[in-house]
Amino acid sequence: MPALEEVQHRDIMGIRVAALGWAQALDELKCAIYGNGPQRIFNFLNANNANLAMRNTRYRQGLTKSEVLPDGVGVDIASRALHGSAFPANLNGTDFIPALLVHSEKPLKVALIGARSDILERAVVSFSAATPWHEFIAVADGYFDKTDSLKVLADLSAINPDITLVAMGSPSQEIWIDSNIGQGHGRVVFGVGALFDFVSGAVPRAPETIRNLRLEWVWRLFLEPSRLWRRYILGNPVFLFHLLRYKLSGAGRQAGLSA
């Protein structure tokens, strides 16, 4: 199995995205967590995040300095258009992080940052119930002063977690991670968006049939139309426009990128 640095990557509108199957991704992440290598930071790319990266240079910088995993049908459409095939797996954080915790048999310390305080605490309870051999620690909700993160970082250092999950939403979480996270703040760090909302039960997952059809975004839009209509009703056509322009420019035509 190649090291993470040697995994094939695909250029998705100028962003380097890892092309991994589920089993390989889980094994690679276990190596990163349990190994002796440097700290690894992981983020996820979906259609909405790609749109954000087109207009937010600071956010794009945070993505390009981390390992990016594919999330959702939008990046699969982009991969087919630019490289001829979809990604080997949809490694969305809502499914991938719980699977990684189940797949990791050795006890881990997992730090959680983000969401409302009540959702954060419920997420800790749910994670602990699902994988009780790990220790889950709520470090801070997502409403601390981002311009003064010293206490949060000191608490992380005191915990010295194996995994740190940061759920502040994009682009805030990626920018905060890039600006603040360093050695001792987690061997592996993930920007996980709405993961705590789902794990805590605050936002219900779509039925499995809808998820299998790759239509969970429709379910989320149905549940939260006032908050998400711009992301999906406006954002999806904008994403396709950016993709078409990128393809016509001749960029991203290689089947994969080396690390």
Side-chain angles (χ1 to χ4, degrees), residues 153-176:
L153 297 174
D155 289 345
L156 274 179
S157 294
I159 296 166
N160 191 23
D162 299 293
I163 299 175
T164 297
L165 306 177
V166 182
M168 298 177 186
S170 298
S172 297
Q173 65 194 18
E174 292 84 0
I175 293 172
W176 186 82

Side-chain angles (χ1 to χ4, degrees), residues 10-13 17-20 22 45-47 50 69-92 211-214 239-240 243:
R10 297 179 186 177
D11 175 0
I12 302 299
M13 293 154 61
V17 182
L20 293 162
W22 262 93
L45 185 74
N46 55 33
L69 302 177
D71 172 6
V73 68
V75 291
D76 268 351
I77 291 171
S79 184
R80 287 191 184 98
L82 298 171
H83 307 292
S85 64
F87 280 98
N90 174 23
L91 300 176
N92 69 87
R211 297 203 303 268
N212 290 339
L213 291 172
R214 309 296 296 277
F239 172 75
L240 294 175
L243 173 59

Side-chain angles (χ1 to χ4, degrees), residues 20-259:
L20 293 162
W22 262 93
Q24 184 185 11
L26 291 171
D27 288 344
E28 294 292 350
L29 264 295
K30 282 181 64 178
C31 289
I33 294 166
Y34 296 127
N36 296 316
Q39 180 188 65
R40 302 289 301 186
I41 294 175
F42 292 85
N43 289 302
F44 298 87
L45 185 74
N46 55 33
N48 179 64
N49 292 352
N51 285 343
L52 290 174
M54 289 294 172
R55 62 179 186 267
N56 188 324
T57 303
R58 186 66 188 83
Y59 169 60
R60 191 181 188 89
Q61 176 184 319
L63 285 181
T64 57
K65 291 168 66 177
S66 66
E67 188 76 39
V68 180
L69 302 177
D71 172 6
V73 68
V75 291
D76 268 351
I77 291 171
S79 184
R80 287 191 184 98
L82 298 171
H83 307 292
S85 64
F87 280 98
N90 174 23
L91 300 176
N92 69 87
T94 309
D95 293 318
F96 184 70
I97 299 300
L100 174 63
L101 294 170
V102 170
H103 196 65
S104 302
E105 301 90 354
K106 180 181 175 181
L108 300 170
K109 285 191 291 184
V110 184
L112 284 71
I113 299 172
R116 295 198 321 255
S117 58
D118 59 320
I119 290 175
L120 178 64
E121 294 298 337
R122 283 155 58 190
V124 167
V125 171
S126 295
F127 275 129
S128 299
T131 51
W133 57 94
H134 301 314
E135 179 184 6
F136 297 91
I137 305 159
V139 177
D141 63 33
Y143 295 91
F144 65 91
D145 182 359
K146 307 305 185 299
T147 64
D148 184 12
S149 301
L150 292 179
K151 182 181 186 308
V152 173
L153 297 174
D155 289 345
L156 274 179
S157 294
I159 296 166
N160 191 23
D162 299 293
I163 299 175
T164 297
L165 306 177
V166 182
M168 298 177 186
S170 298
S172 297
Q173 65 194 18
E174 292 84 0
I175 293 172
W176 186 82
I177 290 170
D178 185 48
S179 300
N180 293 279
I181 290 294
Q183 293 301 317
H185 298 151
R187 290 193 53 75
V188 173
V189 181
F190 290 94
V192 294
L195 174 64
F196 300 170
D197 293 329
F198 290 117
V199 170
S200 69
V203 176
R205 291 294 304 275
E208 186 175 358
T209 301
I210 293 177
R211 297 203 303 268
N212 290 339
L213 291 172
R214 309 296 296 277
L215 292 174
E216 189 163 15
W217 67 271
V218 177
W219 174 264
R220 293 195 64 193
L221 179 61
F222 173 77
L223 292 179
E224 302 179 88
S226 61
R227 188 175 76 85
L228 296 176
W229 73 273
R230 288 183 181 273
R231 175 183 297 188
Y232 295 122
I233 301 301
L234 298 182
N236 287 350
V238 169
F239 172 75
L240 294 175
F241 169 76
H242 286 312
L243 173 59
L244 178 61
R245 187 173 64 175
Y246 195 74
K247 182 175 177 64
L248 292 177
S249 75
R253 288 183 177 170
Q254 298 178 47
L257 299 175
S258 64

